[in-house]
Amino acid sequence: MKAIAVTIFMLGSAIVMAQELKGKVFTTSKGAIDGYDVVAYFTDAKPVKGDKQFAHQWEGATWYFASADHRDLFKAEPKKYAPAFGGFCAYGVSQGYKVKIEADAWDIVDGVLYLNYDMGVQKSWKKDKTGYITKANNNWASLKDQ
């Protein structure tokens, strides 16, 4: 019985992940980038959950922000604040895959926000950021529309 429950849970998780990994932007039921305010990475130097009252539609996704100011900054220059590779894991894209992210695993390199799967993956990614960014840039063209 326990094995059946685990199998059902894993199947359900796989279906949810498949839904999240389609399109140009990493989106969950909580919004783009799992509902995090991407402007806050630049202004507050940390991940901050967005608020539904400060929503904005861009690239087919709903983005949430912690304040009207953050929403307006994003609206004025979305490409300045939107994470690379639609917010999918930068390391994953460098390996040829769209992979989910965790909001705490982030870095800004040359003014661009990069997100990673988790802190362990980010530790590996930081060992060769430039190399992984180059590989991810090359892979993104074929991955972004999948």
Side-chain angles (χ1 to χ4, degrees):
M1 187 65 140
K2 186 176 181 181
I4 293 170
V6 169
T7 302
I8 291 170
F9 172 77
M10 290 177 69
L11 180 59
S13 296
I15 291 168
V16 169
M17 286 304 297
Q19 292 171 344
E20 294 173 352
L21 302 179
K22 292 184 183 283
K24 293 180 183 179
V25 175
F26 174 70
T27 304
T28 67
S29 61
K30 298 174 186 174
I33 319 307
D34 206 25
Y36 280 85
D37 176 346
V38 292
V39 174
Y41 288 101
F42 294 90
T43 61
D44 301 3
K46 64 181 180 181
V48 175
K49 269 295 201 182
D51 187 312
K52 289 187 178 190
Q53 70 177 321
F54 305 117
H56 177 66
Q57 292 289 318
W58 185 71
E59 289 290 336
T62 303
W63 300 73
Y64 296 110
F65 302 92
S67 68
D69 287 342
H70 283 195
R71 181 199 58 216
D72 294 345
L73 284 169
F74 185 84
K75 283 173 74 171
E77 296 182 90
K79 291 183 180 182
K80 177 179 178 179
Y81 297 105
F85 318 120
F88 292 97
C89 173
Y91 178 83
V93 173
S94 78
Q95 302 304 301
Y97 304 99
K98 286 182 175 177
V99 183
K100 74 162 195 80
I101 55 92
E102 287 186 7
D104 293 358
W106 65 280
D107 198 6
I108 295 175
V109 179
D110 296 329
V112 178
L113 174 62
Y114 295 93
L115 300 168
N116 287 120
Y117 180 82
D118 62 18
M119 297 304 284
V121 167
Q122 185 180 44
K123 186 176 178 182
S124 297
W125 181 79
K126 284 188 172 190
K127 290 178 183 176
D128 185 18
K129 291 182 213 180
T130 303
Y132 291 128
I133 290 169
T134 298
K135 288 178 184 177
N137 281 329
N138 290 335
N139 290 338
W140 186 239
S142 63
L143 290 175
K144 68 181 175 183
D145 292 321
Q146 292 181 5

